[in-house]
mmCIF file of all heavy atoms in Angstrom:
data_model
loop_
_atom_site.group_PDB
_atom_site.id
_atom_site.type_symbol
_atom_site.label_atom_id
_atom_site.label_comp_id
_atom_site.label_asym_id
_atom_site.label_seq_id
_atom_site.Cartn_x
_atom_site.Cartn_y
_atom_site.Cartn_z
ATOM 1 N N VAL A 1 60.000 46.344 187.611
ATOM 2 C CA VAL A 1 59.473 45.608 188.738
ATOM 3 C C VAL A 1 57.946 45.467 188.809
ATOM 4 O O VAL A 1 57.403 44.340 189.053
ATOM 5 C CB VAL A 1 60.122 46.043 190.114
ATOM 6 C CG1 VAL A 1 59.442 45.425 191.355
ATOM 7 C CG2 VAL A 1 61.608 45.871 190.130
ATOM 8 N N ARG A 2 57.289 46.547 188.585
ATOM 9 C CA ARG A 2 55.809 46.683 188.697
ATOM 10 C C ARG A 2 55.266 45.691 187.694
ATOM 11 O O ARG A 2 54.357 44.961 187.929
ATOM 12 C CB ARG A 2 55.386 48.044 188.476
ATOM 13 C CG ARG A 2 53.887 48.366 188.614
ATOM 14 C CD ARG A 2 53.280 49.611 188.347
ATOM 15 N NE ARG A 2 54.078 50.518 189.243
ATOM 16 C CZ ARG A 2 53.926 50.718 190.555
ATOM 17 N NH1 ARG A 2 53.065 49.951 191.170
ATOM 18 N NH2 ARG A 2 54.514 51.655 191.276
ATOM 19 N N ASP A 3 55.742 45.790 186.502
ATOM 20 C CA ASP A 3 55.173 44.943 185.341
ATOM 21 C C ASP A 3 55.391 43.419 185.637
ATOM 22 O O ASP A 3 54.544 42.543 185.400
ATOM 23 C CB ASP A 3 55.626 45.245 183.961
ATOM 24 C CG ASP A 3 55.210 46.625 183.599
ATOM 25 O OD1 ASP A 3 54.230 47.111 184.043
ATOM 26 O OD2 ASP A 3 55.891 47.144 182.630
ATOM 27 N N ILE A 4 56.565 43.108 186.132
ATOM 28 C CA ILE A 4 56.951 41.709 186.347
ATOM 29 C C ILE A 4 56.139 41.245 187.502
ATOM 30 O O ILE A 4 55.606 40.150 187.392
ATOM 31 C CB ILE A 4 58.467 41.612 186.579
ATOM 32 C CG1 ILE A 4 59.264 41.889 185.340
ATOM 33 C CG2 ILE A 4 58.942 40.285 187.123
ATOM 34 C CD1 ILE A 4 60.782 42.196 185.525
ATOM 35 N N ILE A 5 56.192 41.838 188.602
ATOM 36 C CA ILE A 5 55.488 41.371 189.847
ATOM 37 C C ILE A 5 53.897 41.343 189.572
ATOM 38 O O ILE A 5 53.204 40.452 190.070
ATOM 39 C CB ILE A 5 55.810 42.067 191.078
ATOM 40 C CG1 ILE A 5 57.386 41.944 191.383
ATOM 41 C CG2 ILE A 5 55.089 41.584 192.255
ATOM 42 C CD1 ILE A 5 57.882 40.597 191.395
ATOM 43 N N ASN A 6 53.370 42.285 188.838
ATOM 44 C CA ASN A 6 52.005 42.217 188.564
ATOM 45 C C ASN A 6 51.541 40.987 187.899
ATOM 46 O O ASN A 6 50.420 40.518 188.136
ATOM 47 C CB ASN A 6 51.533 43.430 187.706
ATOM 48 C CG ASN A 6 50.983 44.628 188.657
ATOM 49 O OD1 ASN A 6 50.154 44.396 189.477
ATOM 50 N ND2 ASN A 6 51.427 45.743 188.326
ATOM 51 N N ARG A 7 52.396 40.506 186.899
ATOM 52 C CA ARG A 7 52.167 39.286 186.323
ATOM 53 C C ARG A 7 52.458 38.040 187.244
ATOM 54 O O ARG A 7 51.768 37.134 187.072
ATOM 55 C CB ARG A 7 52.890 39.154 184.951
ATOM 56 C CG ARG A 7 52.581 37.885 184.222
ATOM 57 C CD ARG A 7 53.271 37.927 182.859
ATOM 58 N NE ARG A 7 52.869 36.700 182.075
ATOM 59 C CZ ARG A 7 51.973 36.582 181.240
ATOM 60 N NH1 ARG A 7 51.325 37.719 180.798
ATOM 61 N NH2 ARG A 7 51.830 35.598 180.521
ATOM 62 N N TYR A 8 53.546 38.098 187.837
ATOM 63 C CA TYR A 8 54.001 36.948 188.754
ATOM 64 C C TYR A 8 53.115 36.795 189.867
ATOM 65 O O TYR A 8 52.937 35.557 190.108
ATOM 66 C CB TYR A 8 55.457 37.297 189.131
ATOM 67 C CG TYR A 8 56.107 36.107 189.759
ATOM 68 C CD1 TYR A 8 56.444 34.957 188.939
ATOM 69 C CD2 TYR A 8 56.357 36.234 191.176
ATOM 70 C CE1 TYR A 8 57.108 33.864 189.689
ATOM 71 C CE2 TYR A 8 56.897 34.938 191.760
ATOM 72 C CZ TYR A 8 57.352 33.909 191.059
ATOM 73 O OH TYR A 8 57.885 32.925 191.665
ATOM 74 N N ALA A 9 52.653 37.710 190.507
ATOM 75 C CA ALA A 9 51.997 37.666 191.797
ATOM 76 C C ALA A 9 50.687 38.617 191.612
ATOM 77 O O ALA A 9 50.677 39.696 192.396
ATOM 78 C CB ALA A 9 52.744 38.020 192.988
ATOM 79 N N PRO A 10 49.699 38.086 190.904
ATOM 80 C CA PRO A 10 48.586 39.079 190.553
ATOM 81 C C PRO A 10 47.748 39.435 191.841
ATOM 82 O O PRO A 10 47.744 38.573 192.671
ATOM 83 C CB PRO A 10 47.705 38.149 189.565
ATOM 84 C CG PRO A 10 48.216 36.807 189.728
ATOM 85 C CD PRO A 10 49.640 36.826 190.245
ATOM 86 N N PRO A 11 47.158 40.613 191.781
ATOM 87 C CA PRO A 11 46.455 40.981 192.886
ATOM 88 C C PRO A 11 45.253 40.266 193.347
ATOM 89 O O PRO A 11 44.818 40.371 194.472
ATOM 90 C CB PRO A 11 45.852 42.466 192.368
ATOM 91 C CG PRO A 11 46.718 42.767 191.258
ATOM 92 C CD PRO A 11 47.203 41.604 190.614
ATOM 93 N N VAL A 12 44.817 39.219 192.500
ATOM 94 C CA VAL A 12 43.654 38.488 192.954
ATOM 95 C C VAL A 12 44.017 37.512 194.074
ATOM 96 O O VAL A 12 43.189 36.953 194.723
ATOM 97 C CB VAL A 12 43.085 37.681 191.707
ATOM 98 C CG1 VAL A 12 42.436 38.584 190.765
ATOM 99 C CG2 VAL A 12 44.099 36.784 191.071
ATOM 100 N N GLU A 13 45.386 37.314 194.261
ATOM 101 C CA GLU A 13 45.727 36.404 195.211
ATOM 102 C C GLU A 13 46.886 36.932 196.105
ATOM 103 O O GLU A 13 47.480 36.277 196.999
ATOM 104 C CB GLU A 13 46.100 35.035 194.688
ATOM 105 C CG GLU A 13 47.210 35.022 193.632
ATOM 106 C CD GLU A 13 47.460 33.783 192.902
ATOM 107 O OE1 GLU A 13 46.414 33.048 192.535
ATOM 108 O OE2 GLU A 13 48.614 33.378 192.714
ATOM 109 N N ASN A 14 47.343 38.226 195.909
ATOM 110 C CA ASN A 14 48.467 38.768 196.616
ATOM 111 C C ASN A 14 48.251 40.220 196.945
ATOM 112 O O ASN A 14 47.479 40.848 196.366
ATOM 113 C CB ASN A 14 49.696 38.671 195.758
ATOM 114 C CG ASN A 14 50.090 37.192 195.406
ATOM 115 O OD1 ASN A 14 50.672 36.461 196.178
ATOM 116 N ND2 ASN A 14 49.731 36.724 194.237
ATOM 117 N N ASN A 15 49.076 40.612 197.880
ATOM 118 C CA ASN A 15 49.113 42.030 198.123
ATOM 119 C C ASN A 15 50.251 42.502 197.023
ATOM 120 O O ASN A 15 51.404 42.662 197.517
ATOM 121 C CB ASN A 15 49.585 42.316 199.571
ATOM 122 C CG ASN A 15 49.929 43.813 199.764
ATOM 123 O OD1 ASN A 15 49.793 44.647 198.864
ATOM 124 N ND2 ASN A 15 50.511 44.140 200.914
ATOM 125 N N THR A 16 49.868 42.640 195.967
ATOM 126 C CA THR A 16 50.886 42.901 194.817
ATOM 127 C C THR A 16 51.587 44.212 194.993
ATOM 128 O O THR A 16 52.819 44.267 194.767
ATOM 129 C CB THR A 16 50.123 42.842 193.422
ATOM 130 O OG1 THR A 16 49.431 41.523 193.377
ATOM 131 C CG2 THR A 16 51.090 43.113 192.243
ATOM 132 N N GLU A 17 50.910 45.297 195.395
ATOM 133 C CA GLU A 17 51.556 46.491 195.528
ATOM 134 C C GLU A 17 52.704 46.497 196.552
ATOM 135 O O GLU A 17 53.779 47.045 196.492
ATOM 136 C CB GLU A 17 50.557 47.636 195.780
ATOM 137 C CG GLU A 17 51.179 49.013 195.786
ATOM 138 C CD GLU A 17 51.923 49.522 194.507
ATOM 139 O OE1 GLU A 17 51.558 49.007 193.402
ATOM 140 O OE2 GLU A 17 52.956 50.206 194.611
ATOM 141 N N GLY A 18 52.391 45.810 197.740
ATOM 142 C CA GLY A 18 53.382 45.678 198.804
ATOM 143 C C GLY A 18 54.601 44.825 198.275
ATOM 144 O O GLY A 18 55.705 44.990 198.666
ATOM 145 N N TYR A 19 54.229 43.778 197.524
ATOM 146 C CA TYR A 19 55.275 42.896 196.858
ATOM 147 C C TYR A 19 56.192 43.827 196.040
ATOM 148 O O TYR A 19 57.348 43.643 195.977
ATOM 149 C CB TYR A 19 54.559 41.787 196.259
ATOM 150 C CG TYR A 19 55.414 40.607 195.720
ATOM 151 C CD1 TYR A 19 54.734 39.290 195.834
ATOM 152 C CD2 TYR A 19 56.653 40.622 195.306
ATOM 153 C CE1 TYR A 19 55.365 38.148 195.361
ATOM 154 C CE2 TYR A 19 57.294 39.454 194.972
ATOM 155 C CZ TYR A 19 56.603 38.146 195.116
ATOM 156 O OH TYR A 19 57.469 37.125 194.703
ATOM 157 N N ILE A 20 55.582 44.588 195.152
ATOM 158 C CA ILE A 20 56.277 45.328 194.235
ATOM 159 C C ILE A 20 57.253 46.369 194.964
ATOM 160 O O ILE A 20 58.459 46.493 194.670
ATOM 161 C CB ILE A 20 55.376 46.269 193.341
ATOM 162 C CG1 ILE A 20 54.607 45.267 192.301
ATOM 163 C CG2 ILE A 20 55.984 47.401 192.571
ATOM 164 C CD1 ILE A 20 53.420 45.878 191.655
ATOM 165 N N GLN A 21 56.713 47.017 195.974
ATOM 166 C CA GLN A 21 57.474 48.066 196.746
ATOM 167 C C GLN A 21 58.689 47.262 197.500
ATOM 168 O O GLN A 21 59.765 47.901 197.537
ATOM 169 C CB GLN A 21 56.715 48.663 197.733
ATOM 170 C CG GLN A 21 55.565 49.652 197.109
ATOM 171 C CD GLN A 21 56.094 50.655 196.232
ATOM 172 O OE1 GLN A 21 57.097 51.193 196.561
ATOM 173 N NE2 GLN A 21 55.356 50.952 195.168
ATOM 174 N N ARG A 22 58.355 46.245 198.006
ATOM 175 C CA ARG A 22 59.426 45.393 198.739
ATOM 176 C C ARG A 22 60.578 44.970 197.742
ATOM 177 O O ARG A 22 61.677 45.166 198.005
ATOM 178 C CB ARG A 22 58.897 44.123 199.403
ATOM 179 C CG ARG A 22 59.875 43.487 200.222
ATOM 180 C CD ARG A 22 59.212 42.494 201.278
ATOM 181 N NE ARG A 22 60.309 41.708 201.806
ATOM 182 C CZ ARG A 22 60.027 40.556 202.545
ATOM 183 N NH1 ARG A 22 58.742 40.190 202.543
ATOM 184 N NH2 ARG A 22 61.074 39.957 203.086
ATOM 185 N N VAL A 23 60.297 44.411 196.628
ATOM 186 C CA VAL A 23 61.206 43.904 195.665
ATOM 187 C C VAL A 23 61.958 45.111 195.115
ATOM 188 O O VAL A 23 63.298 45.183 194.959
ATOM 189 C CB VAL A 23 60.698 43.202 194.459
ATOM 190 C CG1 VAL A 23 61.519 42.964 193.339
ATOM 191 C CG2 VAL A 23 60.024 41.870 195.052
ATOM 192 N N ALA A 24 61.320 46.299 194.779
ATOM 193 C CA ALA A 24 61.969 47.513 194.096
ATOM 194 C C ALA A 24 62.956 48.028 195.306
ATOM 195 O O ALA A 24 64.094 48.386 194.826
ATOM 196 C CB ALA A 24 60.978 48.561 193.812
ATOM 197 N N LYS A 25 62.600 47.917 196.486
ATOM 198 C CA LYS A 25 63.441 48.590 197.541
ATOM 199 C C LYS A 25 64.673 47.569 197.760
ATOM 200 O O LYS A 25 65.828 48.137 197.847
ATOM 201 C CB LYS A 25 62.751 48.529 199.012
ATOM 202 C CG LYS A 25 63.560 49.180 200.000
ATOM 203 C CD LYS A 25 62.716 49.125 201.362
ATOM 204 C CE LYS A 25 63.593 49.756 202.468
ATOM 205 N NZ LYS A 25 62.826 49.884 203.702
ATOM 206 N N GLU A 26 64.515 46.399 197.691
ATOM 207 C CA GLU A 26 65.759 45.414 197.753
ATOM 208 C C GLU A 26 66.527 45.675 196.536
ATOM 209 O O GLU A 26 67.786 45.401 196.652
ATOM 210 C CB GLU A 26 65.168 43.928 197.872
ATOM 211 C CG GLU A 26 64.659 43.660 199.365
ATOM 212 C CD GLU A 26 64.715 42.148 199.532
ATOM 213 O OE1 GLU A 26 65.469 41.495 199.073
ATOM 214 O OE2 GLU A 26 63.801 41.667 200.404
ATOM 215 N N LEU A 27 66.072 45.901 195.327
ATOM 216 C CA LEU A 27 66.941 46.093 194.175
ATOM 217 C C LEU A 27 67.466 47.550 194.075
ATOM 218 O O LEU A 27 68.203 47.803 193.208
ATOM 219 C CB LEU A 27 66.000 45.846 192.882
ATOM 220 C CG LEU A 27 66.233 44.210 192.505
ATOM 221 C CD1 LEU A 27 65.609 43.291 193.407
ATOM 222 C CD2 LEU A 27 65.474 44.110 191.129
ATOM 223 N N ASN A 28 66.903 48.426 194.931
ATOM 224 C CA ASN A 28 67.330 49.851 194.941
ATOM 225 C C ASN A 28 66.963 50.548 193.701
ATOM 226 O O ASN A 28 67.918 51.242 193.189
ATOM 227 C CB ASN A 28 68.799 49.939 195.381
ATOM 228 C CG ASN A 28 69.116 51.310 195.883
ATOM 229 O OD1 ASN A 28 68.209 51.973 196.382
ATOM 230 N ND2 ASN A 28 70.444 51.772 195.651
ATOM 231 N N VAL A 29 65.872 50.269 193.230
ATOM 232 C CA VAL A 29 65.287 50.905 192.010
ATOM 233 C C VAL A 29 63.789 51.387 192.160
ATOM 234 O O VAL A 29 63.191 51.055 193.165
ATOM 235 C CB VAL A 29 65.276 49.873 190.821
ATOM 236 C CG1 VAL A 29 66.633 49.417 190.473
ATOM 237 C CG2 VAL A 29 64.330 48.740 191.016
ATOM 238 N N SER A 30 63.325 52.232 191.365
ATOM 239 C CA SER A 30 61.981 52.688 191.323
ATOM 240 C C SER A 30 61.188 51.545 190.874
ATOM 241 O O SER A 30 61.642 50.764 189.889
ATOM 242 C CB SER A 30 61.717 53.881 190.479
ATOM 243 O OG SER A 30 60.429 54.090 190.161
ATOM 244 N N PRO A 31 59.968 51.263 191.279
ATOM 245 C CA PRO A 31 59.151 50.199 190.761
ATOM 246 C C PRO A 31 58.931 50.211 189.294
ATOM 247 O O PRO A 31 58.683 49.363 188.608
ATOM 248 C CB PRO A 31 57.764 50.373 191.353
ATOM 249 C CG PRO A 31 58.159 51.038 192.666
ATOM 250 C CD PRO A 31 59.262 51.955 192.351
ATOM 251 N N ASP A 32 58.932 51.442 188.695
ATOM 252 C CA ASP A 32 58.824 51.657 187.208
ATOM 253 C C ASP A 32 60.020 51.780 186.352
ATOM 254 O O ASP A 32 59.972 51.941 185.116
ATOM 255 C CB ASP A 32 57.908 52.747 187.008
ATOM 256 C CG ASP A 32 56.515 52.577 187.770
ATOM 257 O OD1 ASP A 32 55.939 51.478 187.420
ATOM 258 O OD2 ASP A 32 56.221 53.442 188.575
ATOM 259 N N ASP A 33 61.180 51.554 186.973
ATOM 260 C CA ASP A 33 62.485 51.644 186.168
ATOM 261 C C ASP A 33 62.429 50.389 185.346
ATOM 262 O O ASP A 33 62.199 49.248 185.766
ATOM 263 C CB ASP A 33 63.706 51.551 187.124
ATOM 264 C CG ASP A 33 63.975 52.889 187.704
ATOM 265 O OD1 ASP A 33 63.280 53.916 187.490
ATOM 266 O OD2 ASP A 33 64.747 52.898 188.625
ATOM 267 N N CYS A 34 63.050 50.444 184.105
ATOM 268 C CA CYS A 34 63.075 49.351 183.246
ATOM 269 C C CYS A 34 64.400 48.689 183.473
ATOM 270 O O CYS A 34 65.569 49.305 183.483
ATOM 271 C CB CYS A 34 63.156 49.714 181.727
ATOM 272 S SG CYS A 34 62.944 48.329 180.611
ATOM 273 N N LEU A 35 64.348 47.312 183.682
ATOM 274 C CA LEU A 35 65.619 46.505 184.050
ATOM 275 C C LEU A 35 65.645 45.408 182.904
ATOM 276 O O LEU A 35 64.587 45.056 182.308
ATOM 277 C CB LEU A 35 65.440 45.886 185.405
ATOM 278 C CG LEU A 35 65.070 46.810 186.647
ATOM 279 C CD1 LEU A 35 64.673 45.940 187.740
ATOM 280 C CD2 LEU A 35 66.294 47.856 186.801
ATOM 281 N N SER A 36 66.716 44.801 182.836
ATOM 282 C CA SER A 36 66.807 43.624 181.842
ATOM 283 C C SER A 36 67.347 42.301 182.730
ATOM 284 O O SER A 36 68.488 42.333 183.258
ATOM 285 C CB SER A 36 67.805 43.821 180.802
ATOM 286 O OG SER A 36 67.903 42.604 180.092
ATOM 287 N N VAL A 37 66.479 41.288 182.723
ATOM 288 C CA VAL A 37 66.737 40.008 183.394
ATOM 289 C C VAL A 37 67.678 39.277 182.564
ATOM 290 O O VAL A 37 68.065 38.259 183.078
ATOM 291 C CB VAL A 37 65.542 39.313 183.913
ATOM 292 C CG1 VAL A 37 64.800 39.934 184.954
ATOM 293 C CG2 VAL A 37 64.670 38.973 182.634
ATOM 294 N N MET A 38 68.149 39.831 181.400
ATOM 295 C CA MET A 38 69.014 39.123 180.638
ATOM 296 C C MET A 38 70.536 39.371 181.196
ATOM 297 O O MET A 38 71.476 38.626 180.791
ATOM 298 C CB MET A 38 69.051 39.647 179.129
ATOM 299 C CG MET A 38 67.795 39.311 178.379
ATOM 300 S SD MET A 38 67.117 37.607 178.492
ATOM 301 C CE MET A 38 65.474 37.851 178.070
ATOM 302 N N GLN A 39 70.482 40.379 182.111
ATOM 303 C CA GLN A 39 71.881 40.709 182.834
ATOM 304 C C GLN A 39 71.795 39.827 184.062
ATOM 305 O O GLN A 39 70.910 39.848 184.904
ATOM 306 C CB GLN A 39 71.908 42.198 183.162
ATOM 307 C CG GLN A 39 71.998 42.989 181.915
ATOM 308 C CD GLN A 39 71.901 44.530 182.495
ATOM 309 O OE1 GLN A 39 71.386 44.859 183.422
ATOM 310 N NE2 GLN A 39 72.608 45.306 181.590
ATOM 311 N N LYS A 40 72.883 39.040 184.232
ATOM 312 C CA LYS A 40 72.943 38.098 185.331
ATOM 313 C C LYS A 40 72.754 38.770 186.603
ATOM 314 O O LYS A 40 72.009 38.255 187.613
ATOM 315 C CB LYS A 40 74.272 37.264 185.244
ATOM 316 C CG LYS A 40 74.406 36.383 186.442
ATOM 317 C CD LYS A 40 75.888 35.695 186.332
ATOM 318 C CE LYS A 40 76.369 35.201 187.458
ATOM 319 N NZ LYS A 40 77.692 34.513 187.381
ATOM 320 N N ASP A 41 73.288 39.909 186.987
ATOM 321 C CA ASP A 41 73.291 40.558 188.203
ATOM 322 C C ASP A 41 71.842 40.979 188.498
ATOM 323 O O ASP A 41 71.347 40.780 189.640
ATOM 324 C CB ASP A 41 74.266 41.716 188.349
ATOM 325 C CG ASP A 41 73.997 42.817 187.324
ATOM 326 O OD1 ASP A 41 73.620 42.505 186.305
ATOM 327 O OD2 ASP A 41 74.374 43.955 187.641
ATOM 328 N N VAL A 42 71.036 41.502 187.578
ATOM 329 C CA VAL A 42 69.676 41.864 187.713
ATOM 330 C C VAL A 42 68.804 40.554 188.032
ATOM 331 O O VAL A 42 67.992 40.546 188.788
ATOM 332 C CB VAL A 42 69.169 42.691 186.445
ATOM 333 C CG1 VAL A 42 67.712 42.943 186.454
ATOM 334 C CG2 VAL A 42 70.049 44.015 186.278
ATOM 335 N N LEU A 43 68.988 39.576 187.194
ATOM 336 C CA LEU A 43 68.375 38.307 187.343
ATOM 337 C C LEU A 43 68.526 37.777 188.762
ATOM 338 O O LEU A 43 67.546 37.458 189.434
ATOM 339 C CB LEU A 43 68.746 37.397 186.279
ATOM 340 C CG LEU A 43 67.933 35.992 186.261
ATOM 341 C CD1 LEU A 43 66.462 35.992 185.907
ATOM 342 C CD2 LEU A 43 68.704 35.088 185.356
ATOM 343 N N PHE A 44 69.668 37.723 189.246
ATOM 344 C CA PHE A 44 70.014 37.214 190.567
ATOM 345 C C PHE A 44 69.426 37.957 191.634
ATOM 346 O O PHE A 44 69.012 37.538 192.618
ATOM 347 C CB PHE A 44 71.491 36.985 190.747
ATOM 348 C CG PHE A 44 72.002 35.667 190.130
ATOM 349 C CD1 PHE A 44 71.453 34.978 189.126
ATOM 350 C CD2 PHE A 44 73.327 35.340 190.562
ATOM 351 C CE1 PHE A 44 71.940 33.994 188.494
ATOM 352 C CE2 PHE A 44 73.873 34.201 189.855
ATOM 353 C CZ PHE A 44 73.253 33.520 188.920
#
């Protein structure tokens, strides 16, 4: 989540760390856990 959101919503225009924390919490994972968006459930 950290790597993906850092690229998707860079700190120059976002509160990227807050974004990372919120997304990780919604996915119930650590921000640094490796996930695969090739898996439909992860992607959705």
Side-chain angles (χ1 to χ4, degrees):
V1 169
R2 182 175 310 284
D3 290 342
I4 291 167
I5 300 302
N6 264 316
R7 183 174 180 101
Y8 187 73
V12 295
E13 56 189 47
N14 297 281
N15 172 4
T16 305
E17 187 57 33
Y19 199 140
I20 291 165
Q21 294 301 323
R22 185 165 170 198
V23 169
K25 183 177 180 181
E26 285 202 30
L27 271 63
N28 198 28
V29 298
S30 163
D32 299 306
D33 288 349
C34 191
L35 312 168
S36 177
V37 295
M38 301 306 163
Q39 295 176 331
K40 178 180 161 180
D41 61 327
V42 173
L43 182 65
F44 281 17

